[in-house]
Structure formats: C-alpha cells, structure tokens
Amino acid sequence: MMLRNIFTKSLRDTRTGTLVWGVGLALVVAVGTSQYSQIITGTGADRARLVAEVTKAFQAFSFLMGEITSLDSIGGFLTVRVLIFIPVALGLWTAIVAAGLIRGEEQQGSLDVLLSTPHSRASVFRQKVAALWVSIAIALLLLGTGMAVGIFGAGEPLAIGEVGLTLLNIGAITGFWAALALLIGQFVLIRRTVSSITGGLLFGTFLLNNMLESLPSLQWLAWFLPFHYYTVSKPIVPGREMEWVAWLVLVTLTAGLTLLAGALFLRRSIGSVFHFFTSRPRAAQADRGSTLLLGPLFGKSIRDLLWPTLFWALGLGLYAIMIVTSVNNALEPLREMVKNIGGVLATLIGNLSTPEAYISVSVFTYLPVLVAVFAITQIEGWSSEEEEGRLEIPASAPLPRWRLLVARYVAISLALIAILVVLGGSLMLGAAMGNVSLDVGRIWESAIGILPLGLVVAAFGLCAATWLKRPGGAMPITIGLVAVMFFLELFAPLLNLPGAVLNLSIFHLFGRPMAEGANWGGLLALVVATLVLGAGSLVGLNRRDIAK
C-alpha cells in the first residue's frame, strides 16, 4: 500500500526508525519528568533552599549543559534535566535519515532506476523531503505524548500550549540538521561520510554553544551557532517565553539549506558530487590517488579508518584537556553544595568530593556514548558495502569469508585503542596543565574499560547486519538500543530498578571507573558478549547470500 508513490515509499523506509526514536525519546521524557516530585521536595523556605542549591550544582556544569534555569518549576527542571539533550539525539537521527534520502540511494543505485521513470528530479526531491518532515512530525508527536504523560505523573501544572511551543522549537533545530545533511550530501559521495560530518558538526556546535554561553565575554560568539537560536527559547520555564525571532531564523536557515540542496541536486550528475568549477581532465588517470594499504583485507580496513580515527582522537583529546583544566575552579563550590543538600545532589549527579568523581561525571558520562557512536559508524560502513555491491568482490575471492569480518574487527579494535590512548594522555596532560592531582591508575582503567564497550556495540551491529535480510536495518536498531541503554543508566538513581534490569545496560556494566574503580565483573560480561556476538556475526556472514 505504501509503495504507490515516492512520498509513501520514502515514509515507509523510515517508519522503523521513526517509531523507535519517537517512542524511545518519549519514554525518556516521561520518566525524567515524572521524577520531579521525588527530587524537589519540601515546602516554603526548605524547598526554596533546596532548589537554589541544586540549581547552583547544575550551574557548575553549564559548560556542558548551557544556561541553567531555576528548578522551582517542572518546566525549569524538564528544560535542564532532559530537553537540553533531546534535540541532539533527534538531530542525529534525522541527519542519518536525510543522508540516506538522496546520497544513500545513489550509492545503492536505486536512484538511477527511480529517475528513469516519468518523475522529474524536482518531484523526487520534494516528495522525499516531505516524507522526512512527516517522519519528524510523527517523532515530535510521540515525544509530546511522553512529555504529557510525565507531567501528569508528576502532578505538576504545565499548559499544553507551552508543551506545543517546546515541540515547535525542537522541530526547528531538528529540521536544521536534516537540511544541512541534505546539503552536505551534494558535495560528498559516501553516505557514511555525510552522516559523520553532520554528526560531528552537531556535537561540536552543541558543546561550543554551551561553553560560550557560560563565558560572559564570549557570549556574543554563540549567535553564530545554530543551537543558540534553540536555547534562547524556553516556553515552559516560568518568566520565559518563545523567542519567535530566533525560531524564525532557524526556520529560514532550514528552508534556505533545503532549497540550496535541491538546486544543487537538479544540476549535478547522479553518482557524482557538485563541482563549483569544471576541472581539467588529467592526462594520466592511472596516477590519481594513492594505493597505500589497498592490498590485503586488513590493510584496506585500516586505511578506511585512518582519518576518522585521527579526527575522533583529536576531538576527544581536546575535550578532555578542557574539562580537566577546569576541575579546581568548579570543585570547591560543588563541595560546599554537597554539604548543604547531601543526598539530593548525590541522587542527581553523584558524589563530587574528588577530582576523579568530577571528571567521571563531566567526561565519562558522555564519552562512552561517543565511542558507541564511533562503533555505529563502522556498522553503517559494512552495511553500505554490502548493499552497494562492493562486498561481492572480496567475498568471491579464494579466501574464507570469516577473514572479511575478522579484518574489520581488528581494524576497529586498533582504532579504538588509538583513540583511547590519546584520551588517556590528554587527561594526564590536562591534569599537569591545570595542576590537578589525578589517580593515574584510574585514568587508564577508565580508558581501557571503554574498549569492550565500543567493541560490543560494533559486534552487536555487525551480528544484526549479517543476519537481517537487509543489513541497512542494523544501524537504526543498534542506535535505538544504545540510546535506551544510555537513558536507562542516566535515570537509574531515580528509578530504583533491580540490579538485573540495570545490568542490561552496557553503560551500567562499564560503571564509574574514574570515581569508583573498574567494574571488572561488568567489563568481563562485555568481553563475553563481544565474543558471542562476534561469533554470531561470523556464522551469519558464512551462511547468508550477499544482499543485492
């Protein structure tokens, strides 16, 4: 029924991701909102003192979270605790979907067939973009439902109109990243590269915007970043409102980027990229590019990961240095607040009595997620190679199939080790620069502990890719599962879930090695899971017909 036209076919292709992300984020918002009454307790002066102290505690992390509003209302709590991260998660999903709309189908060769039918390029582009926006709208409706359920569960007043304005604001920033991915796809040949570039810009500008907003002398620079136009609007916070000018800026940018992407799509060759200048053909085509590491399977796998590994290592290393050098300035005020509010702060963000505990919260809360994202990009690379027919050639060579995956696993392992070595060195360098005393053993326990976490994500995704009929479905499934596990661990102190349930999260098994030491039992479970899933992927590849 949904294969009758381009619009419904495109909508059908995104239905699984839309439901997974919409329902998953709705549950996160519902759970986070419903816990408000458990965290902010008391009445009168006691409540006011508690709210003030907890707000100050969050302000110590403003470089990660941006502006911290008062937690005296459920709207302020929801904005600080949950909604600051929702646009990042939703924007990442929409960027991946947008990258696949045009560039992904070009890689597969299906867009050539589509354009051979009596449909103009403009019509194809319009219908695909319309399907993308309908998918975003469905995800936002599910998100709004989760917010309404959480507000009802907390028993706090919040107008439905304010919730609607919040969803409108989230939709604007989400649409911006989708439009940017569409535009980048006109200049980049590989879908995975489009997703990686857009995701890197998304995370980078998010953190940069939060840091600039916490520095009064540099706040004006935030006006050049898209997330600033999202964060200035806080319609569910008492005393704040929807900033329509900022919202219109985002909408205008989104429309402009979409129109530009469409114009470039109409003017370039399918299977190629847009060139501003026509280049002269080279006389010796055989001399183009380098053949370094294009010999054996392992060499090719290493070559594919060289640049991503370099950029991820440098980015995470700089982030670690920035955080560690801020420890002494942030820790003393936090220690005073811990004395005043005791267990409430521990429930929210844990015990911050030592530099290791502070770094555990500010670095190692999100770092495992970023490493998981790196592993997910490798799943997309494998799926793309199979669906685009590039896996057929090495699979037809006189080599056992298992060597294809083993080469990929070894390359991913070496890339993760390189990233984590740079990270550990950056933490030590930052400690020396900021005159911060850190336990060197805890630093390397934390870095080493992330390795099996990244590998288990890669193994799960590759196992799913080798057993699913279409390997492309492995990536959204893996992303959804990782997101659920992360938020399960994030809200674990408030949910009082049994240990058996918490142990289903890879982030809970990773633990808090920087603050509490390595969770060797959890890390062993991750290693065992990696070996089992890895073996399953080898069996799956050996028995499957390569996707056509």
Side-chain angles (χ1 to χ4, degrees):
M1 183 180 66
M2 298 189 73
L3 297 176
R4 295 177 180 177
N5 56 55
I6 298 170
F7 168 74
T8 54
K9 169 61 168 58
S10 301
L11 196 59
R12 177 181 183 270
D13 291 342
T14 63
R15 67 189 188 281
T16 301
T18 301
L19 293 176
V20 169
W21 279 86
V23 173
L25 293 178
L27 290 174
V28 168
V29 173
V31 171
T33 307
S34 64
Q35 300 301 316
Y36 174 70
S37 57
Q38 300 179 22
I39 297 171
I40 305 300
T41 59
T43 58
D46 290 338
R47 178 185 174 92
R49 181 186 62 82
L50 176 63
V51 168
E53 294 294 342
V54 176
T55 301
K56 289 179 182 178
F58 276 113
Q59 286 172 345
F61 297 93
S62 60
F63 61 89
L64 288 175
M65 305 172 70
E67 180 189 1
I68 306 300
T69 59
S70 173
L71 305 180
D72 193 33
S73 66
I74 192 170
F77 174 82
L78 187 59
T79 299
V80 172
R81 182 65 175 165
V82 181
L83 292 185
I84 190 65
F85 303 111
I86 292 298
V88 177
L90 202 57
L92 178 61
W93 167 69
T94 53
I96 293 172
V97 173
L101 280 178
I102 302 295
R103 183 53 67 184
E105 293 199 8
E106 283 185 76
Q107 281 186 261
Q108 297 173 3
S110 59
L111 193 62
D112 301 64
V113 178
L114 179 59
L115 292 175
S116 68
T117 62
H119 293 280
S120 67
R121 286 197 184 194
S123 175
V124 170
F125 187 82
R126 284 197 303 269
Q127 293 187 62
K128 285 185 171 293
V129 170
L132 173 63
W133 272 103
V134 170
S135 297
I136 293 174
I138 293 172
L140 289 173
L141 287 174
L142 292 172
L143 180 64
T145 302
M147 195 182 304
V149 170
I151 293 169
F152 178 79
E156 297 284 336
L158 189 62
I160 296 298
E162 295 172 349
V163 173
L165 292 176
T166 300
L167 296 177
L168 203 61
N169 196 31
I170 295 174
I173 187 65
T174 301
F176 171 84
W177 293 110
L180 184 62
L182 283 173
L183 180 60
I184 293 174
Q186 309 309 312
F187 298 97
V188 178
L189 276 174
I190 308 300
R191 173 185 177 179
R192 174 179 55 181
T193 307
V194 176
S195 302
S196 299
I197 292 174
T198 311
L201 290 172
L202 190 156
F203 282 114
T205 55
F206 170 73
L207 292 174
L208 183 59
N209 177 71
N210 293 339
M211 286 186 289
L212 291 175
E213 290 189 346
S214 65
L215 301 172
S217 61
L218 298 177
Q219 280 183 350
W220 62 274
L221 290 173
W223 287 97
F224 295 96
L225 300 174
F227 270 108
H228 178 73
Y229 295 91
Y230 165 75
T231 57
V232 294
S233 294
K234 292 180 169 59
I236 60 175
V237 177
R240 302 291 292 271
E241 58 185 15
M242 184 76 168
E243 297 291 343
W244 289 106
V245 174
W247 182 82
L248 285 173
V249 169
L250 279 178
V251 171
T252 302
L253 288 173
T254 300
L257 293 174
T258 303
L259 291 174
L260 181 57
L264 298 180
F265 175 64
L266 297 180
R267 288 166 174 78
R268 67 175 176 82
S269 300
I270 296 301
S272 181
V273 298
F274 183 83
H275 298 283
F276 286 104
F277 305 100
T278 303
S279 59
R280 295 181 180 179
R282 295 188 180 182
Q285 291 290 335
D287 293 335
R288 296 180 64 182
S290 169
T291 59
L292 179 66
L293 295 177
L294 284 180
L297 290 173
F298 175 68
K300 173 63 168 57
S301 300
I302 290 292
R303 176 190 169 105
D304 291 342
L305 285 173
L306 281 178
W307 285 109
T309 301
L310 177 63
F311 286 124
W312 278 80
L314 290 177
L316 295 178
L318 290 173
Y319 171 69
I321 291 174
M322 178 194 70
I323 298 298
V324 175
T325 53
S326 70
V327 168
N328 289 333
N329 292 330
L331 200 55
E332 282 303 321
L334 283 174
R335 284 172 175 162
E336 291 300 318
M337 282 178 253
V338 170
K339 295 178 182 178
N340 294 331
I341 60 177
V344 176
L345 181 59
T347 300
L348 286 171
I349 52 180
N351 180 13
L352 300 177
S353 59
T354 65
E356 288 81 7
Y358 176 83
I359 292 181
S360 178
V361 173
S362 56
V363 176
F364 286 95
T365 296
Y366 306 108
L367 185 63
V369 182
L370 296 176
V371 171
V373 171
F374 176 81
I376 289 170
T377 62
Q378 307 314 306
I379 300 168
E380 182 184 10
W382 175 272
S383 302
S384 298
E385 286 188 12
E386 181 173 351
E387 292 193 340
E388 293 157 20
R390 287 180 283 130
L391 193 61
E392 295 180 11
I393 295 176
S396 64
L399 295 171
R401 281 193 173 188
W402 60 266
R403 291 184 59 178
L404 299 174
L405 265 180
V406 169
R408 183 64 61 97
Y409 279 125
V410 173
I412 294 173
S413 300
L414 292 177
L416 286 173
I417 290 172
I419 292 171
L420 296 175
V421 167
V422 172
L423 173 68
S426 299
L427 289 170
M428 296 180 65
L429 177 61
M433 293 171 58
N435 194 26
V436 178
S437 177
L438 290 179
D439 187 328
V440 176
R442 292 282 179 87
I443 290 176
W444 292 108
E445 283 180 6
S446 302
I448 292 171
I450 297 179
L451 178 61
L453 185 147
L455 290 177
V456 77
V457 172
F460 174 84
L462 291 174
C463 185
T466 56
W467 284 90
L468 291 173
K469 184 177 181 180
R470 302 299 300 181
M475 189 179 66
I477 292 174
T478 307
I479 292 175
L481 187 60
V482 168
V484 170
M485 289 181 174
F486 171 69
F487 286 113
L488 178 66
E489 176 63 12
L490 187 65
F491 291 111
L494 306 176
L495 299 177
N496 296 320
L497 297 174
V501 175
L502 293 177
N503 284 332
L504 296 176
S505 169
I506 57 175
F507 302 102
H508 183 75
L509 294 176
F510 170 70
R512 301 179 66 220
M514 194 69 197
E516 303 170 356
N519 178 14
W520 297 113
L523 296 180
L524 178 61
L526 291 176
V527 171
V528 172
T530 300
L531 295 175
V532 172
L533 291 169
S537 67
L538 297 179
V539 173
L541 180 62
N542 192 57
R543 63 175 291 279
R544 78 182 275 106
D545 292 331
I546 299 299
K548 303 295 184 183

